[in-house]
Amino acid sequence: MSGDRGSQGFISRYVFSLDHRVIGLQYLLTAMAMAIVGGLLALLVRVQIAWPDHDYTWISKILPGGFDGGVMKPEFYAALFTMHGTIMIFFVLSAALIGGFGNYLIPLQVGARDMAFPRLNALSYWIYAVSSVVILASFFAPSGPAASGWTAYPPLSALKGAIPGSNLGQDLWLVAMALFIVSFTLGGLNFLATIMAMRRPGLSMLGLPLFTWSMFFVAILGLLAFPSLTAASIMLLLDRHAGSSFFLPAGVVLSGDLVPGGGGSPILWQHLFWFLGHPEVYILMLPSLGITSDLFTVFTGRRVFGYKSMVIAMALISGMSFLVWGHHMFVSGMSPFLGSAFAITTTLIAVPSGIKVFNWIASLWNRPLRLSTPMLWALGIFSLFVTGGLSGIWLGQTQVDIQLHDTAFVVAHFHIIMAGAALFGVFAGVHYWFPLFFGRMMSERLGIAHFLTTFVFYYATFFPMHLAGIRGQIRRVYDPYQYEYLQPLAAMNGFITWAAIALAVSQLLFFWNFFTSLRGGARAGVNPWGAASLEWTEGEPEGPAEPEALNPVVER
Amino acid sequence: MRTLALASPSRSQAEESALRVAVVAALSATMMLFASLASALLVRRAFEDWRPASAAWPWILLGFGLAASAGIEIAARSQGRRRVAGFAIVGLSSSLYLAGALFVLGSLASGELGLSRPHDAFIALLLGVHVLHAILGTAFAARVLRATSGGSPESGLALARLVTHFLTALLVFILILLFGLQ
């Protein structure tokens, strides 16, 4: 703990705190608030896809800038999916899993008193908070928020005036991303330093819970992958404001006028973006995989099968994630030989992923399962990881990907494997560590109802998108039914949208459970789940700060 | 389950070790940033509008960078007045480097063609990012030297030395990229 809590005022204790636990909860609560925004944006996207001609006068009264006579504007639709992707990937899932759980749990699980650099930790949170404000502020930009997709492909993102969102909104997007990267980098340095140097003596790396291992790899991934987006963002800013042409090709015509300069390469942006973009997938997934493994240990009563191979699998996944970015660019005109190389490396990632899956099966095989809410979420992650992983093998092959690229199939794949597994990881973690965070239990009845409805409606929302994609439904299209061949998909899209609405409504169970349990939940004991990891041991962690530290005996 | 017995810890060792880990991690991230920029340059220079330019200032800036590295070596390898002289060389050459680099950046930005020429744009990009890291690195080195001056100055000096040499190596790298691969 940093400082004496009792002598601190409210502001220094809960707002500008240096305590890793408070900072972790700050991240978690901020991410929850951002999730509400990101989720509502997703609902608007779905509503538009299902019923593009419908009159939404009542919504247009809340968001007058996005509608014209009750009908959503195309540029607003583009802004919706752009901001939904950006907010959910970076400001919700990365922040909750890594900033939230990572900050709260790493020091406890390694037996340290706090993060190695508490001030840097607080700075990291506040930079994240500012970046969240900046990205939200872009909604109030005169011409609206960024609308070039969460991938921000040039020339749309490089040309001011290309579409309304290419103006101030795109600049704010770039500034928010730059701040987020700085925040993540500071956090990553802290995670690595804490895990490697602040462990209790005697606690080896191979004594750490798999969640902490996942944070270790996530920190390395972030530190080595985010610089690529940093570089690309600086170059894009220079293209937009300093007259350079890193990404702007020659011969671009905007509103009938030839754009001066040019000669750059939009494909270069794609390479730099996806060099981060694919590791980012694992930045989101590894924490969930770590949580799942640890929960299988707790709720089966025996250590997860193949602990060392789980660590090795995470290391291999992390390392190989730097070798597969090209599979996002199979249709960019790359050499077929290069495409084959990326297809091979992508397929090879199935090997360490398979190790994890088979270890999980062995962990569950013939063991008594305690199906408490956290365990249900862990099983949900397992299901999503397998389902999404299988469609990933399809998309990793050039022949299949070229057909399915930019269709709803891809949307289905990444929402199941990346977004779903990460989101379920957040729920698993919140239910499991809630007693540690707040000293109370969340309601099991509400928790199970939330899990069942979320699980069913999540699949109901995203599984049919595979079929829509195979039938040719392209993504990011304002009105799919302008194309005759997509008109038969209207009923399916209506079903998907109703399922998405039901999914959103079922999240009210979570928020109700969370906030009512803060005060009304049953009081939790010191170790309500019977876990063996260090965070559940009673009392303050001693860490390397106390020369007279006890010699506790821990079991992993 | 395996049982682990935990022994007594040592705070200062852990803190020093944590700082070392953080510095190495930060330098790795910086290296990746420059690797990304370098890969972009290597792609862009293959395009037909690439017109490399030559200038004298890179060698002057390189001289300042090398002088900073020499100064930190003198400080690390000696005591007393020679150490102070080493630090003075580092401070002076770093200041001159920053002033020179900022002058070059200003000249490029205010020039008639601005950054419209790809080679100039990359000079501004790489030099600008290096200047930013040089400022951060110098501030870090000064802080760590000050913080460790009372206790274990050698550990602080080792980190400052690492950061200074790293920044000089980066400068050599970007100057070779910009002017050595004509």
Side-chain angles (χ1 to χ4, degrees), chain A residues 334-389:
Chain A
M334 68 166 59
S335 151
F337 296 108
L338 190 57
S340 300
F342 279 120
I344 290 168
T345 53
T346 303
T347 309
L348 282 176
I349 270 201
V351 175
S353 304
I355 290 173
K356 296 196 83 67
V357 167
F358 287 113
N359 279 351
W360 282 342
I361 292 172
S363 302
L364 299 174
W365 192 262
N366 218 9
R367 291 188 187 181
L369 305 182
R370 272 195 294 151
L371 291 177
S372 299
T373 313
M375 181 61 168
L376 291 176
W377 287 110
L379 291 170
I381 294 167
F382 189 1
S383 162
L384 291 169
F385 187 61
V386 172
T387 311

Side-chain angles (χ1 to χ4, degrees), chain B:
Chain B
M1 292 185 200
R2 205 171 70 174
T3 302
L4 302 163
L6 306 182
S8 296
S10 157
R11 180 179 190 169
S12 60
Q13 273 182 341
E15 283 179 347
E16 265 183 36
S17 173
L19 190 57
R20 256 198 317 274
V21 170
V23 169
V24 170
L27 297 187
S28 306
T30 307
M31 210 161 65
M32 286 302 287
L33 175 64
F34 279 91
S36 301
L37 296 171
S39 65
L41 182 143
L42 292 174
V43 170
R44 191 66 177 84
R45 72 191 299 276
F47 287 41
E48 58 187 29
D49 62 345
W50 184 264
R51 303 276 183 281
S54 56
W57 60 260
W59 310 113
I60 298 170
L61 293 187
L62 180 61
F64 293 143
L66 293 173
S69 270
I72 199 80
E73 274 304 309
I74 291 168
R77 290 163 187 256
S78 52
Q79 297 288 338
R81 293 174 72 175
R82 270 180 69 84
R83 173 167 283 191
V84 173
F87 284 134
I89 293 170
V90 176
L92 183 65
S93 49
S94 299
S95 305
L96 288 171
Y97 167 74
L98 289 174
L102 289 171
F103 177 76
V104 171
L105 288 171
S107 304
L108 282 171
S110 60
E112 193 180 335
L113 295 172
L115 302 183
S116 62
R117 285 188 305 202
H119 190 250
D120 288 351
F122 270 102
I123 291 172
L125 177 67
L126 286 162
L127 198 58
V129 177
H130 188 267
V131 163
L132 184 65
H133 282 81
I135 292 169
L136 292 172
T138 307
F140 169 79
R143 188 176 160 80
V144 82
L145 284 170
R146 199 173 153 191
T148 56
S149 59
S152 53
E154 297 308 318
S155 67
L157 196 50
L159 287 176
R161 191 175 170 194
L162 176 66
V163 171
T164 308
H165 290 329
F166 177 80
L167 288 166
T168 305
L170 267 185
L171 182 63
V172 172
F173 172 67
I174 64 174
L175 291 179
I176 289 173
L177 266 177
L178 287 167
F179 299 100
L181 302 174
Q182 299 288 345

Side-chain angles (χ1 to χ4, degrees), chain A residues 291-303 363-380 428 431-432 435 441 444 448 451 525-533 536, chain B residues 1:
Chain A
I291 289 172
T292 303
S293 301
D294 287 343
L295 293 188
F296 282 1
T297 294
V298 174
F299 290 96
T300 62
R302 279 163 61 189
R303 206 173 95 202
S363 302
L364 299 174
W365 192 262
N366 218 9
R367 291 188 187 181
L369 305 182
R370 272 195 294 151
L371 291 177
S372 299
T373 313
M375 181 61 168
L376 291 176
W377 287 110
L379 291 170
H431 278 275
Y432 178 62
M441 303 295 289
E444 276 290 285
I448 290 170
F451 167 74
V526 173
N527 187 359
W529 308 112
S533 46
W536 296 102
Chain B
M1 292 185 200

Side-chain angles (χ1 to χ4, degrees), chain A residues 32-77:
Chain A
M32 279 167 68
M34 294 297 281
I36 294 171
V37 178
L40 289 174
L41 297 179
L43 281 185
L44 287 172
V45 168
R46 276 312 316 172
V47 161
Q48 172 65 20
I49 292 174
W51 309 293
D53 297 328
H54 195 79
D55 187 332
Y56 298 104
T57 307
W58 63 278
I59 307 180
S60 66
K61 284 177 182 164
I62 306 168
L63 300 162
F67 290 81
D68 188 4
V71 176
M72 191 184 287
K73 294 179 186 170
E75 59 267 28
F76 185 64
Y77 174 74

Side-chain angles (χ1 to χ4, degrees), chain A residues 163-506:
Chain A
I163 51 171
S166 307
N167 295 305
L168 179 61
Q170 191 67 55
D171 286 327
L172 291 173
W173 187 94
L174 286 166
V175 170
M177 287 311 303
L179 289 170
F180 182 86
I181 292 168
V182 171
S183 159
F184 196 100
T185 304
L186 297 180
L189 297 178
N190 229 340
F191 283 14
L192 279 184
T194 307
I195 294 170
M196 293 180 75
M198 307 300 281
R199 293 191 317 277
R200 282 192 175 187
L203 179 59
S204 72
M205 288 294 280
L206 286 175
L208 295 175
L210 286 165
F211 173 74
T212 298
W213 266 111
S214 73
M215 287 290 125
F216 176 76
F217 289 118
V218 160
I220 293 173
L221 281 177
L223 286 170
L224 299 185
F226 268 114
S228 176
L229 183 59
T230 311
S233 298
I234 298 168
M235 292 160 76
L236 191 57
L237 273 171
L238 289 176
D239 272 7
R240 290 172 60 78
H241 295 288
S244 61
S245 58
F246 296 112
F247 304 125
L248 202 56
V252 173
V253 176
L254 182 63
S255 304
D257 298 324
L258 184 68
V259 175
S265 167
I267 301 293
L268 180 57
W269 167 272
Q270 294 187 26
H271 280 291
L272 292 171
F273 180 88
W274 287 114
F275 190 78
L276 155 80
H278 201 81
E280 172 66 19
V281 170
Y282 295 102
I283 285 173
L284 294 184
M285 279 173 50
L286 285 178
S288 280
L289 305 185
I291 289 172
T292 303
S293 301
D294 287 343
L295 293 188
F296 282 1
T297 294
V298 174
F299 290 96
T300 62
R302 279 163 61 189
R303 206 173 95 202
V304 70
F305 184 86
Y307 172 89
K308 278 186 188 169
S309 61
M310 287 294 215
V311 175
I312 293 168
M314 279 199 275
L316 288 173
I317 289 173
S318 303
M320 291 169 78
S321 73
F322 286 106
L323 305 175
V324 299
W325 81 92
H327 72 224
H328 296 274
M329 301 170 57
F330 282 150
V331 296
S332 67
M334 68 166 59
S335 151
F337 296 108
L338 190 57
S340 300
F342 279 120
I344 290 168
T345 53
T346 303
T347 309
L348 282 176
I349 270 201
V351 175
S353 304
I355 290 173
K356 296 196 83 67
V357 167
F358 287 113
N359 279 351
W360 282 342
I361 292 172
S363 302
L364 299 174
W365 192 262
N366 218 9
R367 291 188 187 181
L369 305 182
R370 272 195 294 151
L371 291 177
S372 299
T373 313
M375 181 61 168
L376 291 176
W377 287 110
L379 291 170
I381 294 167
F382 189 1
S383 162
L384 291 169
F385 187 61
V386 172
T387 311
L390 289 174
S391 59
I393 295 173
W394 287 34
L395 290 173
Q397 312 311 311
T398 44
Q399 307 90 325
V400 183
D401 182 81
I402 286 169
Q403 304 300 318
L404 293 173
H405 189 86
D406 257 347
T407 67
F409 190 98
V410 179
V411 180
H413 164 69
F414 72 71
H415 274 92
I416 288 176
I417 189 75
M418 181 184 78
L423 185 67
F424 278 36
V426 174
F427 289 137
V430 168
H431 278 275
Y432 178 62
W433 283 301
F434 193 89
L436 182 71
F437 296 166
F438 303 111
R440 292 180 183 271
M441 303 295 289
M442 287 179 83
S443 158
E444 276 290 285
R445 198 161 50 88
L446 282 173
I448 290 170
H450 174 229
F451 167 74
L452 290 175
T453 49
T454 302
F455 187 78
V456 169
F457 291 126
Y458 203 88
Y459 269 110
T461 301
F462 293 107
F463 202 84
M465 286 188 196
H466 291 106
L467 306 175
I470 287 169
R471 292 176 66 177
Q473 179 162 325
I474 31 185
R475 62 193 284 215
R476 295 175 171 173
V477 174
Y478 166 68
D479 178 2
Y481 314 116
Q482 62 187 299
Y483 303 106
E484 196 178 333
Y485 78 99
L486 292 178
Q487 287 169 3
L489 295 180
M492 185 189 284
N493 278 322
F495 171 82
I496 292 171
T497 298
W498 279 117
I501 292 168
L503 179 64
V505 171
S506 66

